[in-house]
Amino acid sequence: MTTAHPRLMSPIELRGHTLRNRIVFGAHTANMSVEGLPGERFGAYLLERALGGAAMIVAEPMPVHRTGVLTRGNFRHGTDDVIPHFRKVTEPVKEAGAVLLQQLYHVGSHGDSDLSFSPHWGPSGGPSYHDSDGSHAMTEAEIEELIEAHIAAAVRCQKGGFQGVEVWGAYHSLLDQFWTPWSNKRTDKWGGSLENRTRMSRTIIEGIRKRCGEDFIIGLAISTSDAYDVTLQGEALAEVVAAHDATGHIDYVTCGHGGYLDFQRLMPTFLYGEKLTAPLTEELKKIVKHAKVTSEAHIRTPENAEAVIASGQADMVSIVRGQIADPHLARKTFEGRAEDVRGCISCNQMCWGRRSRDYWISCLINPSAGREFEWGGDRFTPAGKPRRIVVVGAGPAGLEAARVAAERGHRVDIFEAQPRIGGQFRLAGEQPRRAQILELMDWYERQFEKLQVRLHLNAYAEAEDIRALNPDVVVLATGSLPDEDGFQRWMPGADRLPGIDRGNVWSPEDVMRREAKLGDHVILYDEGGNWRGLGTAWAMAERGLKVTIVTPEPFIGKELARTSSDIPLRPRLAQLGVTFLTEHLIAEWHGSGATVRNMLTGSDMRLDASALVMSTTNRAFDPLSGDLAGIETHLIGDAAAPRQAPYAFHEGRKTGLKL
């Protein structure tokens, strides 16, 4: 072992099973089932992380009952039909060296009627914080039914090849609802005292131990949040953990962050700090007598993970998004190559963002996530015949195409007109709290050096320059440019923004490159509802400018809602004095202000401003493909059609794989 992370890479025992290191690929909804059954996509997704060195994998949560179904991709509950399908998944993962568990869950009151078509069951009724419905206060018979449902699900997991289960009591789910006096108003043996409030979960765990045996791992998932006084925190949560640990049946407790009452903290984006649960897990380690303690929530990097273990704040760490972004994080760390880990940028765009729309998950910077069974994960097959590849443009599409082509043995030159790589994505990294993007750009430069990719900066490639290199293939990733006409999609009859020729109209790119002359009061028209416009508004506000955001949408950050990052962003903007004007258009720009039009009433009013920033749809920039006849050419990324970053990375990876 050559690692600089010795504590993180040291083994640990759980119920007679040896974990090869302290890195867990924790439970999360990948949403990859096919008609409720695990298939190739899900199996290859888990296997890639096992091959990548993860010590323990906790597979996607299994709903234990019809009243707990939460996503279209949930596995079938209450049936042995899943067992032979799971065995096809579990055996390869275990052969690859990972210990494999499955999480068991029920969301209690916070159900989804669109998917379950059942009443939400909870301890005392009350509203769902997932949809707008209320819930059913369970009878004692129904409590016993759910206890047996958990136990039966664990037995089914064991038969499916899992070496244990993780019982879910996090995020104010069913068991957490029973633990919490605010949501448990019962006066029978299931409510009131701590013993009564933990009776259901303790009975479930005792039943699993009895039915599944002494060598079966049982974990308990909890979460912490201080957003509301009514949720369990600190000492109260520690008492719950101690009550379960005293039984001797739980082998570890894993602590997450946030919950249904503060959903934006559940998968914390870059707006939040890192190692969020380490302070609590440090306290839990002082009270447990039997169980190991796992810290999760925003432990992205091997460095963070080593610090948590070395400081005694936890026995293990759960790195989920970090291992979605780089499935070989653990192996690279073990081999002393932590600098080769492709770090998660905490954007949530394709993991939680796709899951929130009920698709299977992927990753913005690792488009192989969810496609491992088709693309082979992050392990590249050498090309049959090395070719000379020229890539034009070093934005996300060009960077990934160049890297993958070089990984496969091709000789690659990449040309970039700017002095730095990254294109518009690098500008996003200049926005507040988004420096993880700049770290990714550094990672690409290190990979290019190792792969001997020849990077040409400040090099605007003309067709004759490309032909002079005699390439076998040209990949055009020349990106997109802001729309110079200021066209607004909800003013389709106006090809140009009225008054745009009066000057002081800029793009977000102009602002982030500090090329715009903004004055002191800026109107930013935001049509995308994403970071291109809103991150630019944030940057301007932090520079001390007065900013008014005008948007045709009913609220600020519509496209960010899928990632939950809109929730903390809006108060941050408001604290900086940014003003929001929703459901409005820019009817005319006057050079010193704008006439804005109310989309609901059609009425106009004037806003004074020294500059206007138009965050509207870009236009593809393709100056070369028409001049490269006779050469195999691929047009990818924004050069084909302006889109968000994940699709550029996807096309870069896909192109590099097929060259």
Side-chain angles (χ1 to χ4, degrees):
M1 181 170 67
T2 59
T3 181
H5 306 78
R7 297 167 184 84
L8 180 63
M9 289 292 107
S10 62
I12 190 171
E13 296 286 323
L14 281 184
R15 189 64 64 164
H17 300 268
T18 301
L19 277 61
R20 55 191 171 187
N21 56 58
R22 308 298 181 95
I23 298 175
V24 180
F25 189 48
H28 57 287
T29 301
N31 226 25
M32 293 178 183
S33 78
V34 179
E35 297 185 353
L37 299 173
E40 285 184 297
R41 189 184 305 277
F42 184 64
Y45 175 74
L46 296 188
L47 178 59
E48 191 71 20
R49 277 78 198 167
L51 293 170
M56 185 166 77
I57 294 175
V58 186
E60 172 165 335
M62 163 76 79
V64 301
H65 192 261
R66 62 180 174 83
T67 55
V69 177
L70 193 59
T71 76
R72 172 206 53 77
N74 271 161
F75 300 125
R76 294 181 190 177
H77 59 85
T79 174
D80 288 350
D81 291 349
V82 298
I83 293 173
H85 296 273
F86 272 127
R87 293 205 72 91
K88 294 178 183 178
V89 170
T90 58
E91 294 306 322
V93 170
K94 291 187 292 185
E95 288 173 8
V99 172
L100 182 59
L101 281 67
Q102 184 161 54
Q103 190 181 78
L104 306 179
Y105 89 101
H106 193 292
V107 292
S109 302
H110 310 312
D112 189 324
S113 296
D114 282 334
L115 286 157
S116 71
F117 280 86
S118 296
H120 311 334
W121 285 9
S124 303
S128 166
Y129 281 74
H130 184 86
D131 62 18
S132 59
D133 295 332
S135 64
H136 164 70
M138 296 163 63
T139 66
E140 288 204 56
E142 289 165 341
I143 292 173
E144 296 287 357
E145 182 180 338
L146 283 192
I147 290 173
E148 177 54 33
H150 278 82
I151 298 169
V155 171
R156 203 171 292 118
C157 288
Q158 189 176 44
K159 291 179 178 178
F162 292 98
Q163 295 153 294
V165 293
E166 184 175 284
V167 177
W168 194 51
Y171 307 146
H172 200 247
S173 61
L174 175 73
L175 300 183
D176 196 357
Q177 288 162 36
F178 270 89
W179 298 340
T180 305
W182 166 69
S183 50
N184 185 348
K185 312 290 188 186
R186 302 181 73 95
T187 57
D188 56 11
K189 68 178 183 179
W190 308 100
S193 67
L194 177 65
E195 180 180 2
N196 284 356
R197 287 182 282 116
T198 60
R199 188 183 306 278
M200 183 180 188
S201 51
R202 288 185 293 108
T203 304
I204 287 169
I205 290 168
E206 183 178 355
I208 293 172
R209 176 64 63 215
K210 183 176 180 180
R211 297 269 289 276
C212 294
E214 289 299 317
D215 62 347
F216 195 67
I217 299 171
I218 302 176
L220 178 66
I222 65 168
S223 62
T224 178
S225 170
D226 60 0
Y228 293 94
D229 292 339
V230 297
T231 56
L232 294 180
Q233 300 168 36
E235 184 177 345
L237 194 56
E239 288 177 345
V240 169
V241 170
H244 290 83
D245 181 66
T247 69
H249 293 315
I250 64 168
D251 302 298
Y252 72 89
V253 57
T254 182
C255 185
H257 190 251
Y260 279 100
L261 274 72
D262 55 337
F263 209 72
Q264 68 276 16
R265 301 184 183 204
L266 204 154
M267 278 76 57
T269 62
F270 56 82
L271 285 94
Y272 292 93
E274 303 198 8
K275 300 182 287 186
L276 290 168
T277 65
L280 179 60
T281 58
E282 184 175 9
E283 296 304 309
L284 294 180
K285 274 184 59 65
K286 296 174 183 177
I287 66 165
V288 294
K289 307 298 183 184
H290 172 74
K292 305 299 183 185
V293 176
T294 303
S295 182
E296 55 179 278
H298 230 188
I299 301 175
R300 294 186 308 119
T301 65
E303 291 72 27
N304 278 349
E306 175 74 11
V308 169
I309 302 298
S311 64
Q313 292 179 298
D315 300 296
M316 300 178 288
V317 293
S318 176
I319 304 177
V320 177
R321 288 174 296 174
Q323 291 186 90
I324 297 175
D326 192 330
H328 300 157
L329 178 149
R331 179 176 57 80
K332 291 175 180 178
T333 303
F334 178 82
E335 294 173 354
R337 298 192 296 116
E339 74 280 0
D340 286 338
V341 172
R342 180 178 49 231
C344 168
I345 63 172
S346 305
C347 67
N348 279 3
Q349 194 164 333
M350 298 299 281
C351 51
W352 175 244
R354 275 180 61 87
R355 154 65 186 89
S356 69
R357 301 176 72 197
D358 221 3
Y359 302 134
W360 50 266
I361 69 171
S362 189
C363 178
L364 186 150
I365 62 173
N366 176 24
S368 286
R371 298 179 176 87
E372 290 85 357
F373 75 109
E374 297 173 314
W375 287 5
D378 247 19
R379 293 166 290 115
F380 300 104
T381 303
K385 179 182 178 182
R387 305 168 80 188
R388 180 73 181 272
I389 312 293
V390 171
V391 179
V392 184
L399 290 172
E400 187 64 3
R403 182 186 75 89
V404 174
E407 288 273 14
R408 299 188 60 231
H410 296 300
R411 294 170 294 154
V412 181
D413 286 85
I414 182 169
F415 291 84
E416 169 55 48
Q418 296 293 323
R420 302 294 301 274
I421 66 170
Q424 294 178 52
F425 202 50
R426 173 175 285 278
L427 296 180
E430 303 285 351
Q431 294 175 348
R433 295 195 62 85
R434 304 197 73 188
Q436 292 166 8
I437 293 174
L438 303 183
E439 293 174 3
L440 179 66
M441 297 300 103
D442 293 341
W443 178 84
Y444 270 105
E445 290 181 341
R446 290 196 299 273
Q447 299 309 302
F448 283 176
E449 184 175 351
K450 291 182 178 184
L451 295 167
Q452 298 182 9
V453 172
R454 291 165 293 279
L455 174 62
H456 309 271
L457 297 173
N458 293 307
Y460 190 97
E462 302 283 2
E464 54 268 26
D465 302 322
I466 296 170
R467 288 185 180 278
L469 294 171
N470 195 28
D472 298 303
V473 181
V474 176
V475 177
L476 297 178
T478 44
S480 62
L481 298 174
D483 179 11
E484 295 181 352
D485 293 324
F487 175 79
Q488 299 167 78
R489 65 179 65 192
W490 300 121
M491 287 183 61
D495 291 338
R496 285 174 60 82
L497 169 67
I500 193 172
D501 294 330
R502 295 180 178 127
N504 295 331
V505 180
W506 309 95
S507 69
E509 290 82 355
D510 295 329
V511 175
M512 296 312 303
R513 291 192 184 104
R514 295 184 177 267
E515 296 171 353
K517 297 177 177 61
L518 297 171
D520 58 2
H521 182 187
V522 180
I523 295 172
L524 183 137
Y525 176 72
D526 179 52
E527 201 165 72
N530 52 44
W531 286 112
R532 179 170 175 257
L534 298 179
T536 302
W538 188 1
M540 291 191 294
E542 289 211 339
R543 295 177 194 172
L545 278 65
K546 182 179 179 181
V547 179
T548 300
I549 298 174
V550 177
T551 179
E553 303 296 348
F555 65 96
I556 297 296
K558 181 182 176 183
E559 281 293 315
L560 295 180
R562 69 174 73 178
T563 69
S564 299
S565 57
D566 64 308
I567 303 173
L569 175 63
R570 283 191 292 270
R572 179 60 182 148
L573 292 173
Q575 290 158 11
L576 289 167
V578 177
T579 303
F580 306 156
L581 188 61
T582 60
E583 297 182 293
H584 277 72
L585 301 167
I586 308 296
E588 186 176 356
W589 172 245
H590 304 291
S592 59
T595 297
V596 294
R597 181 160 299 154
N598 188 314
M599 296 174 68
L600 304 179
T601 67
S603 60
D604 290 347
M605 68 175 182
R606 179 177 169 117
L607 293 179
D608 290 333
S610 51
L612 172 66
V613 177
M614 295 293 288
S615 182
T616 57
T617 305
N618 273 16
R619 303 294 185 185
F621 179 62
D622 173 24
L624 290 170
S625 59
D627 297 326
L628 295 173
I631 303 175
E632 180 184 335
T633 303
H634 300 267
L635 186 68
I636 64 173
D638 274 15
R643 288 156 290 168
Q644 295 186 46
Y647 313 110
F649 281 105
H650 172 268
E651 289 182 4
R653 175 76 60 91
K654 186 176 182 180
T655 300
L657 288 172
K658 70 183 181 182
L659 292 178

